[in-house]
Amino acid sequence: MIGQDARLSSEKVYLSDVEIHLQSPIANAEDLRARVLFHAVLSDTLLIGDSQALNTPLFRALVSSQEAGRMGVRSDLEPLLSSGRIRVACRDGKTLTAVREDQQRRHVKNMPGAAYAELLDGMTRAHAFSYRLDAVSAAFKAGVVRLLEARRRGTDGQTRATFDAALDFVKEQEPLYFAAVKDWEESFRAESSGSAEVVLALAIVDRAAGESYREALPHVLQAGTAAPRVVDLPSTAATRTALKYTTLPGSLLDGFLLGRLPVEVYLEATEQPSRSVLVRELGLLRRGGQPDLPRLMEAMTEFSRWMQDAFVRAFRNTDERARAVLNGNRNLMRFGISQDSLTGALGAGLDVPTADAEEEYLDLRVVDRGVSAVDGAADIGELDARQMRQRVITGAYAG
C-alpha cells in the first residue's frame, strides 16, 4: 500500500493535444476532454498555451456551456483551471483578454468572443504562468529553419526552389507567426506550376512549421510535452523490456469512459497517494533520472485499480451507456519499463494490447528523448538549449 506521505514533483507538462494547428486523431470535444483529464491526472502541472486555450473551439466547449452549444459534452473544467491543476501559459504576463485583443488586431482565425476570454481569465488568473513571447517566436523560427534546411539537403529542381523560397520568407520575418507561414504557402501554391514536386515540398514546409510551432512553447517553458503519436520515439530494435505487468484494469485508457467521467472523480483521483508517487516517478523518467522502479510499478498497480473502482462508482446509477461499456470491457492494460540498449535511458509504456481497432483506447509512452532544444534558443533569456532536453509523454490512440 502506497503511504500517505507521498510527495508530488513540480514538473510541468505542456499539452499539445489542444494545438489546433497539429494533425491529430482527436475526433470531438469529448475525445479532447478525455485527453486533457488523462494527462492532468498523470502530471503535476498541466500547461496549455494562451492561443490554444482561446482559439481551439473544442477546448472552449470544455470550459463554457455556451461555447459547447449542442456538442453534448461536459463543460466542467473550471475546478481544474481555478485550482491550478491546469494552468494557462500567458505571453509576457498579459491577461487572456489582452491576448485576444492583440489577436483581433491581427485577424487571427478561430478567435473567441470577448466574453469567453473574460470568463477564462476569471478561472485562470490566480494561477497564470507567464512566458516571453519573443523567446517562443525565436524558438519557432529557428526550428522551422533547422527542419527545412535539413530537408533541403540533396534536393534539386522545383523541390529545391520551393524550400529556398520558404527559407527566404521565414528568415525575413521578425517575428515569425504560424499564420504568416500558412498565408505564404497558399500564395506560393497559387503562383506556382502546381507540379507534384511543389505540392509535396509545400506539405513538408507545412509539417515543419506545425512541428516547430508545437515544440517552441514547451522548449521555452522547459516542460515535458504531452502529444499525439507524431513524435519520433526510440526504435524498438534498440530497446529491451526491463519490467512488465500485464494484468491491470484497462479502463484507465478507455477514451469513451474517460470522456464521460465527472470532473469530481478526477479531483478525487489527484488526491490519491498512489497517484502522487506515480506522477513523481514518471517525472523522473521524463527528466532522464532514475526512478524507483518497484515503487513505480506498485503505484501504477494501485492507482489503476483505484480508477477502476471509481469508474464503477461513477457510472453505477447515472450513465447507462458508460456502464454498459465498463461492464463489457474485459481487456487488460499492460504497463512496462523499457531501456535503450545503447544509451541505457529508461522509458515507460502503458497500453491495451488486446484492444480491437474499433475501440477507443488511449496509450501512453513516457521517454526522455535527449534531444537539444531548437538551435538559437540558447541566446534567449535564461533558456540554455545546450542543457535543455525534450521530455515527451504521448497519448495517441492505440494502433
Side-chain angles (χ1 to χ4, degrees):
M1 176 71 68
I2 298 296
Q4 294 293 326
D5 60 345
R7 295 291 184 267
L8 285 173
S9 69
S10 59
E11 189 192 21
K12 304 178 294 292
V13 172
Y14 174 77
L15 183 65
S16 75
D17 274 349
V18 180
E19 177 51 59
I20 195 170
H21 301 303
L22 182 68
Q23 292 289 334
S24 81
I26 295 173
N28 50 48
E30 196 167 80
D31 185 1
L32 178 58
R33 181 180 182 275
R35 293 163 184 273
V36 169
L37 296 175
F38 175 72
H39 288 301
V41 85
L42 290 180
S43 59
D44 180 23
T45 299
L46 190 67
L47 294 174
I48 295 175
D50 45 12
S51 290
Q52 290 69 40
L54 288 170
N55 303 335
T56 305
L58 294 182
F59 181 78
R60 296 202 300 261
L62 306 180
V63 176
S64 165
S65 58
Q66 288 188 326
E67 294 285 335
R70 299 181 179 179
M71 290 187 193
V73 68
R74 293 175 181 267
S75 303
D76 60 355
L77 292 191
E78 189 278 333
L80 294 171
L81 291 163
S82 61
S83 66
R85 293 287 184 184
I86 300 174
R87 301 175 67 180
V88 177
C90 292
R91 63 198 68 184
D92 304 319
K94 292 184 176 181
T95 65
L96 291 166
T97 297
V99 172
R100 178 197 169 277
E101 290 171 352
D102 290 344
Q103 292 179 339
Q104 188 174 35
R105 286 189 286 271
R106 293 189 289 111
H107 305 289
V108 172
K109 296 178 181 178
N110 296 307
M111 190 182 62
Y116 172 80
E118 294 172 2
L119 174 68
L120 194 57
D121 262 330
M123 294 179 182
T124 62
R125 187 178 295 115
H127 299 283
F129 194 94
S130 181
Y131 70 89
R132 287 178 51 190
L133 181 59
D134 62 340
V136 175
S137 179
F140 169 52
K141 181 175 180 177
V144 177
V145 170
R146 174 176 54 83
L147 291 170
L148 289 181
E149 287 182 341
R151 294 305 303 266
R152 184 178 62 172
R153 297 190 190 106
T155 62
D156 55 19
Q158 291 184 318
T159 300
R160 175 81 177 209
T162 302
F163 287 149
D164 285 343
L167 280 165
D168 288 344
F169 172 80
V170 168
K171 291 177 180 179
E172 290 172 356
Q173 301 302 301
E174 197 62 52
L176 177 68
Y177 291 108
F178 183 89
V181 178
K182 300 291 288 185
D183 290 343
W184 177 86
E185 290 172 11
E186 293 180 9
S187 176
F188 190 87
R189 184 179 292 106
E191 296 173 3
S192 71
S193 63
S195 67
E197 292 92 336
V198 171
V199 172
L200 290 174
L202 286 175
I204 292 171
V205 172
D206 191 65
R207 286 197 297 272
E211 179 70 4
S212 184
Y213 188 90
R214 180 182 66 80
E215 293 184 346
L217 183 53
H219 274 313
V220 171
L221 296 175
Q222 300 189 47
T225 305
R229 187 65 61 76
V230 295
V231 295
D232 296 325
L233 298 180
S235 169
T236 55
T239 62
R240 67 177 184 84
T241 300
L243 287 171
K244 183 168 64 175
Y245 198 26
T246 60
T247 57
L248 300 174
S251 54
L252 178 60
L253 297 180
D254 191 308
F256 177 82
L257 297 178
L258 289 167
R260 299 171 76 90
L261 196 64
V263 74
E264 293 79 14
V265 179
Y266 283 99
L267 290 170
E268 185 181 358
T270 62
E271 301 300 325
Q272 300 308 305
S274 58
R275 180 261 183 188
S276 300
V277 172
L278 188 58
V279 166
R280 183 184 66 218
E281 301 300 329
L282 289 177
L284 284 171
L285 272 175
R286 284 194 288 268
R287 295 191 295 273
Q290 179 65 47
D292 184 331
L293 296 184
R295 193 161 172 79
L296 173 57
M297 298 294 277
E298 180 187 5
M300 177 57 79
T301 300
E302 186 171 323
F303 184 67
S304 64
R305 290 173 178 166
W306 185 92
M307 285 295 297
Q308 178 75 11
D309 291 341
F311 280 114
V312 172
R313 294 195 309 271
F315 299 137
R316 181 183 293 127
N317 301 315
T318 61
D319 192 325
E320 184 177 349
R321 286 185 63 198
R323 187 167 64 254
V325 170
L326 184 63
N327 291 340
N329 182 0
R330 295 294 181 265
N331 292 321
L332 296 176
M333 186 170 68
R334 173 176 59 187
F335 180 63
I337 303 296
S338 61
Q339 186 172 38
D340 190 297
S341 302
L342 301 177
T343 67
L346 295 173
L350 190 64
D351 66 348
V352 178
T354 58
D356 295 331
E358 301 296 324
E359 295 177 302
E360 298 178 355
Y361 283 102
L362 302 177
D363 66 7
L364 182 72
R365 294 292 181 272
V366 179
V367 297
D368 179 351
R369 290 175 72 186
V371 177
S372 295
V374 290
D375 298 339
D379 296 326
I380 304 167
E382 299 177 355
L383 176 64
D384 187 346
R386 293 162 295 189
Q387 297 178 2
M388 221 277 283
R389 298 163 70 86
Q390 184 179 17
R391 284 89 59 188
V392 179
I393 173 171
T394 70
Y397 281 122

